[in-house]
Structure formats: structure tokens, C-alpha cells
Amino acid sequence: MADHAGEPESVVESVMEKITDTFHGHDSSSDSDNEKKSSPVSSIKAKIYRLFGRETPMHKVLGGGKPADILLWRDKKVTAGVLGVATGIWILFELLEYHLLTLVCHISILALATLFLWSNASTFVNKSPPKIPEFGLSDDIVLDVASALRVEMNRAFAILREIASGRDLKKFLAVIAGLWFLSILGSCCNFLTLLYISFVVLHTVPVLYEKYEDQVDSFAEKAEMEIKKQYAVFNVKVLSKIPKGPLKDKKVA
């Protein structure tokens, strides 16, 4: 009787084990299905087109740190203050037609008069005159600035030499088009206005791009594909017919 009573219990236990196995099997299969589904999604996200081949966030592209925070409006008060100062300078020189030398002289007169009156007034109120700090440039700062300028200028000369060598026709045409556009823009406004427009664009376009980067990247991808098609047609009809001589690098002794 004890054996017969134990048989139903063993049957029930085996059935429960099978049920739990089937549930675990479904869970593992569902997990594997989720992994299979998520892997294509992650691969698609990894292949999303970014403008200029960008693979890092905009904050790192702009150099990171405080300058990137200012350009991307991380600190709105500082960015608004910088734009306000730039706008005030532009209004002062462009709209009011103030001159730089006149402004420097007036600021110097005001600063010297203030310090002079403050130093003399302190003797009447029985206070020690204020200590004017000493200003000066150290040799290290001047050498570092000169070295940085030298490196950047040599890099610019190397890029210009590579473009002028005729090895990369696409880059040559892009530089010519950019210079032509700048010449037209320069004929419409003076250098100070152009500098102010560039400053405002630098403080507005990156933050707008960061906010709407998906839409901008999608439009830029379509535009790039269309430009490549047009360039291919132009290459077949025009550029391929231009005779090219062999390019030989000259050995510098």
C-alpha cells in the first residue's frame, strides 16, 4: 500500500518538474529572442549616419571643458553674458562708429584717473593707499604662445601645399568653393560684422544641432548622397576628360 501511495506522488513530482522545465525553456528562449532582437537594433544604432562622420558627442567635439559648456549653453548666464559683450562691442564699433584707438585711450584715461583719485583720496580719510598690482608677461607664456602659433601656421602651410599639389581634386574644388563663398560674403559686409556673425553662429548652431541632431543628420545623409551622385556625373562628363600628367615628388636635398 505504501508503494502504491508513493507512485501518485512521484508522478505528480515528475509532472511538476516537466512544467517547470518547460517554463524555464520558454524564459531562456524568450531571453535569447530578446537578445537576437536587441542585437540588430544595437547594430542599426551603431550604423546611424552622423554629420562629418562624428562618433563622439558634441561636447567632446568642441573640446570639452568650460569652452564647450559656453558654446552649448550649459551655463546660460555665462553664455548670455559673452554674447551680450560681443553684441555691445559690435554696436559700439559698427553702429556708433567708435574707433578702437579712441576706445583704448578713453578706457586708459578713465582707469588712470580713477586710480589717481583713489590713491590721493585715501590720504584724507587716514587710510593707506591701495596697492596697484604689477602686470607683466613671463617668458614662458610668450614662448608657449609663439610655439602654438608656429605649429598651427606650419600645419596650415602643409594643408595648402597638399591642396595645391593637385593630388586631391575634390578637396581642391571644396576649398575654391569655400574661398569664393567667403569673398562674396566679404563684399556684403566688413570684417567686424563678419566676425560678429561667425561668433553668433558659433554660439547658436552647435546647441541647435545638438537638440535636433537626428533630423539634421537624416537630411544631411540625403544631401550627401545627392552630392555624390552629381559629383559622379560631373567626374564622368568633365573631370575624367582632363589630361593628367604623372606626378613626381621632388627630393629635397
Side-chain angles (χ1 to χ4, degrees):
M1 295 293 290
D3 296 337
H4 291 290
E7 289 178 359
E9 293 179 359
S10 62
V11 172
V12 172
E13 291 177 357
S14 62
V15 171
M16 292 298 294
E17 289 177 357
K18 290 180 179 179
I19 292 172
T20 54
D21 291 338
T22 54
F23 276 113
H24 284 298
H26 284 299
D27 292 337
S28 61
S29 63
S30 62
D31 293 337
S32 61
D33 292 338
N34 290 331
E35 291 178 356
K36 291 179 180 178
K37 290 179 180 179
S38 61
S39 58
V41 173
S42 61
S43 62
I44 290 172
K45 288 183 178 180
K47 295 179 181 179
I48 292 178
Y49 175 85
R50 292 301 181 192
L51 194 62
F52 304 118
R54 179 176 60 87
E55 296 180 356
T56 57
M58 280 297 299
H59 193 271
K60 290 185 178 180
V61 172
L62 296 175
K66 193 66 175 178
D69 292 339
I70 294 175
L71 293 177
L72 294 176
W73 291 76
R74 297 286 193 269
D75 194 343
K76 295 183 179 180
K77 292 182 179 179
V78 175
T79 307
V82 170
L83 281 176
V85 170
T87 304
I89 292 173
W90 179 76
I91 292 174
L92 189 66
F93 287 107
E94 186 64 23
L95 298 183
L96 301 180
E97 296 182 354
Y98 214 69
H99 298 287
L100 179 61
L101 182 60
T102 305
L103 178 64
V104 172
C105 292
H106 287 175
I107 291 176
S108 300
I109 291 171
L110 181 62
L112 289 174
T114 303
L115 292 174
F116 180 80
L117 292 176
W118 189 16
S119 299
N120 289 326
S122 61
T123 59
F124 295 100
V125 295
N126 296 324
K127 289 185 178 181
S128 59
K131 293 182 179 179
I132 301 174
E134 295 182 359
F135 297 98
L137 295 175
S138 63
D139 295 337
D140 295 334
I141 295 177
V142 175
L143 292 176
D144 291 339
V145 172
S147 178
L149 288 175
R150 181 184 64 83
V151 171
E152 295 299 329
M153 289 179 67
N154 288 336
R155 185 181 301 174
F157 288 147
I159 293 173
L160 291 175
R161 180 178 179 276
E162 182 182 358
I163 293 172
S165 64
R167 297 176 182 176
D168 193 346
L169 184 59
K170 186 184 295 186
K171 186 183 293 186
F172 172 76
L173 293 176
V175 171
I176 294 299
L179 292 175
W180 177 71
F181 176 75
L182 286 177
S183 66
I184 295 176
L185 191 62
S187 62
C188 299
C189 56
N190 57 17
F191 179 74
L192 181 62
T193 303
L194 183 61
L195 186 64
Y196 174 69
I197 292 173
S198 302
F199 191 81
V200 173
V201 168
L202 189 62
H203 284 76
T204 53
V205 172
V207 66
L208 292 175
Y209 171 70
E210 187 183 36
K211 187 176 181 181
Y212 304 102
E213 61 178 346
D214 292 334
Q215 295 86 341
V216 174
D217 289 339
S218 177
F219 177 77
E221 184 179 11
K222 296 177 181 177
E224 184 179 1
M225 292 175 62
E226 186 64 27
I227 291 173
K228 287 182 178 179
K229 291 179 182 178
Q230 297 298 329
Y231 178 77
V233 174
F234 182 72
N235 187 22
V236 172
K237 293 184 178 180
V238 179
L239 299 181
S240 61
K241 298 179 180 180
I242 298 176
K244 297 180 180 180
L247 294 174
K248 295 181 180 180
D249 295 333
K250 297 181 180 179
K251 295 182 179 181
V252 179

